[in-house]
Amino acid sequence: MSASTFSVPAAESVEVPLGSVERELGRRLKGAYGPGDAPVHRARMSNLIVYCTDDVRAAEVESLIPEIVKIHPARVLLLVADEHLKEADVKASILVRQAGHGTRLCSEQITLRAGGHAAKHLPFAVRGLLIGDLPTNVWWANSTPPPLAGPLLDDLAENAQQVIYDSLGWTDPHRGVSAASTWLKRFERSDADGRWRVASDLNWRRLKFWRRILSQEFAPAINPGALDSVTEITIEHGPHAVTLAWQLAGWFASRLGWRIQETKFKQGLEIAFQISAPHGSLRLVINRLPEGPSDIRHVRIACSIAGKPGALNFTSEDDAKLSVQPEGLDVAPRTVNIKPTSTADIVGKQLSDRDPDPVFRDAMVAAHVLAQAVLR
Amino acid sequence: MATPTPEPVNLLSPGAGSALLPQPCVLVIFGGAGDLSWRKLLPAVYNLNIDGVLPSNFAVIGFGMGAVGDPDEWFRDRARDGIERFSRQPLDEKHWADYSRSLFYVEGSFSDLRAYEKLKAKLEAVDAQFGTPGARVYYLSIPPQLVQPAVEQLKSAGLVNDPGEKRAFTRVIVEKPIGRDLESAKQVNASVAHAFAESQTYRIDHYLGKETVQNLMVLRFANSIFEPLWNQKYIDHVQITVAEEEGLAQYDPITGETTASRVGYYEGVGALRDMVQNHMLQVLCLTAMEPPYSLSADVVRDGKVGVLRCLRPFSQSDLENSVVRAQYIDGEVQGHTVPNYRHEVIDFNSKHNLPIPPSITTETFVAMRVHIDNWRWAGVPFYLRTGKRLPKRASEIAIQFKAVPNILFNQNPDVPLEPTVLSIRVQPEEGLSLRLATKLPGPKVRIFPVKMEFNYSSLFGGESPEAYERLMLDVMAGDATLFMRRDAVEAAWEFVMPVLEHWEQSRSRFLPQYQAGTWGPLEADRLIEADHRTWRTL
């Protein structure tokens, strides 16, 4: 075996007794290099606990892990709590992968499966497998919104610094968004003992580019007074992207000090709000498109630029481009490149981004108010 | 007295995705046809474009001579070629189509006012096409002697806005070398200051854009174990090395033909001006500065200037004993025989019909012992070493801690323990390592040094953005933290001037030599060995 390469004996999961996980991992890593070779390094910046509730979702997540650990090397603890499984115990399996960007680096994954009532043992099984002195992240990878997850999530997140969830595809987005704001307030913490914990929604990260381009376009240095002249904002989103639209609306509302005056609601199609803003009143419309990608597709903002009334249209052309088209304004039309981001990419980046985000929290509070207006 | 109008707040910008929010502008590259633009700047802008971090209203105009045929098309072809060869991320046709539409070129001489009128007309057309609000970033990628005419013409042509202008801002990036001595540096700075306020001026040193260099402050001030030890009580000495494997000319490994040469720039400049006065002293400042009370640009830059002001000036005796210069002679690097520097100069000048200098005394290697006269660093020497045609390309800052007392494990004077060393690698593999003494397994107490390594690319994956990418974004965002302030540039020149003057006076006398492919001349070894220390092997 050459000094610069190594190979993992078999890149597949091997079932091991729960109590032997560390020993077996060590043995597999040792078997990855020959006598006289330099040892293989385990690359890990964090513990990443991923929680799924069925095998299909677990398989989806597992396919993302190589890419995630390339961006943020971590010890991955994949927990599968499948009520259809008959096993009453927690079953463990291990997998060692060669990291993509280092010839002598590898990442490790421990999968714990539990059926029925055994699921409640998972938080206990996990505690013994966390690497001390490293940050711990929990990725809540199922469609139940964290506020409705019950005590299991609290147990899993007991020693975590970050819980990552994804509101894309929540089955009842209005209730989910509404509950999330209260849950965030309870769940996030920062106490005098230095214990802190944040919660991060991958959808908020997906909105990063939209927030950035909108804030650039409406910067007073670029288009003075434009924000104070907004009369209507229309947000169009694809199926399953309702929460994205709520968050974008919540972001506008929290940043610009909006108050709801009136709500009109067409089930599954359109929600329209009459808003009172510091500069006057405006209309906010959220439209659900019948088909297309689960993303924000188009934002139209009616406003005045240089004293001329018109509108700016921001349209997602594909996953790598966004066009800016004016209507009746002296603004140059153009397209802007967007770096396409996969779920693995945003999870990987979110793992390194653990700062509390007050803008997110404020946006969720505002989104909660908007959602409540619809639920009433 | 009129109250100044408060700057309007962008209510949407907090949490908009990045602390650095680059502002819409047109980047004008003076010397757009040049090597730096081709190799670094255009690929850097392309990468920023691919990463989606450029402002939505943005365009690039190359300015200078050398275009063939349609200037815009020529510039686009040149950019494409540079991206294909040097870009961190490969050229993507889908992105290229959009990106290339934002590239333009204006042909003209930097001293010709008509060229600036053409540039002005082009800028106005680009503003109309791209919605840029009249904001400009002028990147002066031109020789120092052209800086003065360029900035004067910019001002005369009405292409420089008031420093208070927030929307249609004007900023200028000045490339090193800033002057070739203190006098000329002051002249360059004064010329730039004639047209641009200090707040509009960004003196770039790409070393400061490197991740490891930026990590220096994080390492020192975000880890409680280092700062208490970061002083004369615990540190024996510091070594800063910038070693380059390349010489001034590059050769085809098969035919032996010269493929590129920097002799035209380097001859008469030398390692002290090219490396020590800027990169190495800036790195020294970051290594030795006091903790700044905030991360704002001027506070950090005050801290760095504070170090330069404490550098002990070279006495006559120091000039003889604390500074070594040398030039490489024939040797072997990476298995290839390479010629001496003199040969490369003669070859270059012959090919370019330039006169052959009677004596070629430009140094390609410098080593020096530097002292910082403040409480923190009293008695701690900083050894600086840089050279071309050394065995490998490697740059690092090594902090060597004091040896433990000669008791317990350090009793044998013949085999002293290797001291603890914290090594911060700037290139090629950015990262850091800590050498510690540890017990070898077994019944006997045998001590062995082990190295704990942290490597950026292994841990964080992918490739870090190029230093130029980060620095150009900073300019668009108006953040000057990583750029050199006028006083720092002049203080650095002030420090090296006695060395330059001493060499000037003794130029034709003794110039040590070193064989290409070695770690420098014997004189450099003697310099550090006189203090009972040795250069680190990288």
Side-chain angles (χ1 to χ4, degrees):
Chain A
M1 186 178 284
S2 82
S4 58
T5 58
F6 78 105
S7 63
V8 175
E12 58 189 38
S13 236
V14 178
E15 198 165 305
V16 297
L18 185 57
S20 308
V21 165
E22 293 293 356
R23 194 174 59 236
E24 289 301 323
L25 273 173
R27 191 185 302 191
R28 283 181 78 76
L29 282 161
K30 219 168 178 184
Y33 61 96
D37 286 346
V40 170
H41 296 289
R42 305 181 195 197
R44 45 204 191 179
M45 292 166 68
S46 301
N47 297 293
L48 171 59
I49 302 167
V50 190
Y51 184 81
C52 311
T53 45
D54 61 72
D55 268 340
V56 177
R57 180 63 180 142
E60 282 170 12
V61 166
E62 199 156 9
S63 69
L64 304 177
I65 288 173
E67 193 57 33
I68 293 170
V69 295
K70 230 191 263 183
I71 299 164
H72 183 103
R75 166 176 278 196
V76 179
L77 294 136
L78 176 61
L79 314 186
V80 189
D82 192 341
E83 60 185 21
H84 303 299
L85 285 177
K86 286 191 178 126
E87 289 92 340
D89 294 332
V90 176
K91 298 278 181 203
S93 56
I94 57 168
L95 172 63
V96 175
R97 287 190 184 89
Q98 190 163 346
H101 45 74
T103 51
R104 301 198 66 76
L105 287 169
C106 68
S107 65
E108 54 205 17
Q109 179 189 322
I110 302 158
T111 304
L112 302 180
R113 286 174 193 279
H117 292 300
K120 65 174 186 278
H121 300 307
L122 284 170
F124 296 92
V126 160
R127 281 187 192 114
L129 296 170
L130 296 174
I131 305 168
D133 281 341
L134 286 186
T136 297
N137 297 279
V138 175
W139 176 16
W140 184 253
N142 69 70
S143 57
T144 309
L148 313 175
L152 183 79
L153 177 58
D154 288 332
D155 287 344
L156 284 175
E158 187 189 359
N159 297 308
Q161 283 78 48
Q162 175 167 233
V163 169
I164 297 171
Y165 64 94
D166 194 353
S167 60
L168 191 76
W170 277 357
T171 45
D172 188 348
H174 299 156
R175 269 178 224 291
V177 165
S178 178
S181 137
T182 321
W183 173 77
L184 281 168
K185 210 169 175 181
R186 175 180 68 78
F187 186 80
E188 292 198 319
R189 68 179 177 208
S190 166
D191 62 32
D193 301 331
R195 281 157 56 90
W196 57 272
R197 188 168 63 195
V198 296
S200 310
D201 185 352
L202 297 179
N203 256 348
W204 183 246
R205 204 169 183 94
R206 290 187 185 100
L207 281 179
K208 192 173 169 179
F209 189 81
W210 280 97
R211 287 183 280 130
R212 188 179 166 130
I213 191 120
L214 289 165
S215 62
Q216 268 183 1
E217 207 60 44
F218 286 91
I222 306 305
N223 288 314
L227 264 186
D228 292 336
S229 67
V230 172
T231 53
E232 183 173 278
I233 297 182
T234 306
I235 300 170
E236 290 181 350
H237 63 85
H240 311 297
V242 185
T243 46
L244 269 174
W246 281 105
Q247 288 183 0
L248 189 61
W251 176 64
F252 276 123
S254 62
R255 299 309 310 160
L256 304 177
W258 291 353
R259 297 274 177 276
I260 302 169
Q261 290 179 321
E262 196 188 341
T263 309
K264 284 183 184 160
F265 184 49
K266 277 190 214 161
Q267 182 70 41
L269 287 176
E270 183 182 288
I271 308 164
F273 298 96
Q274 196 60 39
I275 301 281
S276 153
H279 70 272
S281 71
L282 63 97
R283 209 168 107 88
L284 168 69
V285 181
I286 298 176
N287 276 334
R288 180 188 182 279
L289 300 173
E291 54 191 26
S294 301
D295 204 349
I296 302 288
R297 307 305 304 157
H298 178 216
V299 176
R300 181 181 180 278
I301 302 183
C303 61
S304 298
I305 289 178
K308 216 171 169 185
L312 281 174
N313 290 281
F314 302 84
T315 310
S316 177
E317 298 291 345
D318 56 34
D319 66 346
K321 267 184 210 150
L322 191 140
S323 71
V324 184
Q325 291 288 340
E327 274 174 47
L329 297 172
D330 292 332
V331 172
R334 61 201 173 276
T335 54
V336 183
N337 283 329
I338 308 170
K339 189 159 192 175
T341 44
S342 62
T343 301
D345 190 53
I346 53 175
V347 172
K349 288 191 172 130
Q350 190 59 53
L351 290 172
S352 306
D353 188 0
R354 304 176 306 144
D355 288 341
D357 185 349
V359 178
F360 168 56
R361 249 175 287 167
D362 292 347
M364 290 305 292
V365 170
H368 164 81
V369 175
L370 294 169
Q372 282 293 312
V374 173
L375 291 169
R376 268 202 294 270
Chain B
M1 197 171 144
T3 317
T5 319
E7 199 180 318
V9 177
N10 184 354
L11 292 172
L12 294 179
S13 70
S18 171
L20 288 173
L21 206 56
Q23 306 297 312
C25 61
V26 180
L27 171 69
V28 182
I29 303 176
F30 282 59
D35 201 53
L36 183 73
S37 168
W38 175 58
R39 281 173 184 268
K40 296 285 183 188
L41 306 183
L42 291 166
V45 177
Y46 175 74
N47 282 313
L48 293 172
N49 181 278
I50 279 201
D51 288 346
V53 292
L54 283 176
S56 57
N57 316 64
F58 178 78
V60 181
I61 299 180
F63 182 41
M65 307 290 278
V68 179
D70 177 86
D72 295 342
E73 285 308 317
W74 175 84
F75 189 54
R76 288 165 191 165
D77 288 346
R78 176 103 174 134
R80 186 182 174 109
D81 184 53
I83 291 159
E84 282 173 341
R85 287 172 193 244
F86 308 113
S87 170
R88 178 170 60 85
Q89 301 180 80
L91 189 130
D92 175 343
E93 292 294 346
K94 209 163 70 173
H95 280 294
W96 171 251
D98 273 340
Y99 176 66
S100 65
R101 274 196 287 275
S102 65
L103 302 179
F104 304 92
Y105 196 78
V106 172
E107 172 86 7
S109 158
F110 302 130
S111 51
D112 179 4
L113 185 59
R114 283 170 304 174
Y116 290 81
E117 282 159 6
K118 266 166 70 182
L119 176 64
K120 192 175 186 179
K122 189 70 150 189
L123 280 163
E124 283 164 3
V126 167
D127 279 345
Q129 188 179 343
F130 288 84
T132 40
R136 319 280 182 237
V137 172
Y138 300 116
Y139 197 122
L140 304 186
S141 173
I142 50 178
Q145 64 273 19
L146 295 178
V147 169
Q148 187 174 352
V151 292
E152 278 174 5
Q153 297 288 21
L154 276 171
K155 193 169 168 70
S156 305
L159 288 167
V160 182
N161 287 347
D162 187 86
E165 177 60 64
K166 300 291 178 203
R167 186 165 184 258
F169 62 78
T170 313
R171 294 172 189 148
V172 65
I173 304 176
V174 187
E175 257 291 341
K176 70 145 197 163
I178 294 166
R180 50 170 290 113
D181 52 27
L182 177 60
E183 198 50 43
S184 56
K186 282 182 172 172
Q187 277 169 16
V188 171
N189 282 336
S191 323
V192 175
H194 180 64
F196 295 90
E198 184 61 25
S199 62
Q200 295 172 291
T201 307
Y202 294 75
R203 294 174 195 83
I204 196 164
D205 181 340
H206 72 272
Y207 252 56
L208 301 183
K210 288 184 177 288
E211 286 292 345
T212 334
V213 175
Q214 292 174 54
N215 192 32
L216 250 170
M217 286 210 341
V218 178
L219 183 78
R220 287 187 57 193
F221 305 129
N223 294 289
S224 59
I225 63 162
F226 291 120
E227 195 47 27
L229 308 181
W230 213 263
N231 56 51
Q232 45 87 16
K233 198 171 171 191
Y234 299 102
I235 292 178
D236 179 74
H237 73 276
V238 178
Q239 290 188 27
I240 301 176
T241 305
V242 180
E244 292 178 285
E245 189 184 297
E246 285 187 351
L248 274 305
Q250 285 160 41
Y251 303 93
D252 185 305
I254 298 161
T255 64
E257 289 291 308
T258 309
T259 53
S261 177
R262 287 184 68 225
V263 165
Y265 157 73
Y266 198 82
E267 171 55 11
V269 172
L272 188 75
R273 290 184 175 97
D274 186 46
M275 279 288 171
V276 178
Q277 184 274 337
N278 38 63
H279 299 327
M280 297 187 80
L281 286 183
Q282 286 294 315
V283 170
L284 179 142
C285 288
L286 284 169
T287 310
M289 70 192 281
E290 294 302 317
Y293 65 83
S294 90
L295 290 174
S296 74
D298 270 330
V299 175
V300 174
R301 298 196 296 180
D302 283 346
K304 285 161 61 183
V305 171
V307 176
L308 292 170
R309 300 256 181 257
C310 293
L311 288 174
R312 183 189 299 170
F314 291 110
S315 66
Q316 194 55 42
S317 142
D318 290 335
L319 292 170
E320 300 288 347
N321 303 317
S322 290
V323 187
V324 168
R325 63 174 168 152
Q327 194 181 81
Y328 61 81
I329 55 172
D330 296 351
E332 204 173 288
V333 177
Q334 299 280 342
H336 297 286
T337 305
V338 288
N340 59 71
Y341 177 70
R342 282 177 59 80
H343 168 90
E344 291 177 337
V345 174
I346 292 166
D347 184 49
F348 178 87
N349 285 16
S350 308
K351 282 180 183 157
H352 292 82
N353 295 321
L354 296 167
I356 308 297
S359 61
I360 298 169
T361 56
T362 300
E363 78 285 356
T364 59
F365 177 97
V366 175
M368 58 170 63
R369 181 194 299 111
V370 172
H371 284 279
I372 300 169
D373 284 338
N374 61 18
W375 276 49
R376 183 186 285 269
W377 295 114
V380 179
F382 281 66
Y383 298 98
L384 275 50
R385 171 178 56 156
T386 182
K388 296 202 175 286
R389 287 264 189 258
L390 299 187
K392 62 175 167 184
R393 177 173 172 254
S395 300
E396 70 155 34
I397 305 140
I399 316 292
Q400 183 161 322
F401 292 89
K402 287 190 171 165
V404 294
N406 294 337
I407 47 176
L408 297 179
F409 306 114
N410 205 14
Q411 282 178 317
N412 184 351
D414 295 332
V415 193
L417 292 179
E418 277 93 344
T420 307
V421 176
L422 175 68
S423 157
I424 299 151
R425 287 188 309 277
V426 180
Q427 59 188 20
E429 283 282 318
E430 294 190 64
L432 58 93
S433 66
L434 184 65
R435 186 175 70 183
L436 299 165
T438 189
K439 178 187 171 296
L440 282 175
K444 284 187 177 173
V445 178
R446 289 178 301 159
I447 314 282
F448 203 79
V450 292
K451 223 171 161 183
M452 288 168 58
E453 292 258 358
F454 155 68
N455 187 317
Y456 262 89
S457 61
S458 299
L459 195 55
F460 297 119
E463 285 187 49
S464 301
E466 285 268 343
Y468 279 103
E469 294 174 34
R470 163 69 199 262
L471 295 171
M472 281 202 277
L473 269 190
D474 282 7
V475 179
M476 291 179 215
D479 183 346
T481 311
L482 298 178
F483 295 82
M484 293 180 291
R485 212 168 50 190
R486 180 178 183 165
D487 52 354
V489 172
E490 292 177 7
W493 273 118
E494 215 164 297
F495 176 67
V496 300
M497 278 317 291
V499 181
L500 287 171
E501 283 161 5
H502 176 70
W503 287 350
E504 195 58 44
Q505 285 156 15
S506 58
R507 190 151 283 279
S508 54
R509 278 195 274 152
F510 179 62
L511 175 67
Q513 295 174 324
Y514 61 102
Q515 200 179 359
T518 66
W519 282 106
L522 278 176
E523 286 78 358
D525 293 341
R526 287 191 198 121
L527 182 153
I528 194 165
E529 283 164 7
D531 300 341
H532 307 290
R533 299 184 177 103
T534 53
W535 291 111
R536 285 168 49 74
T537 307
L538 302 183

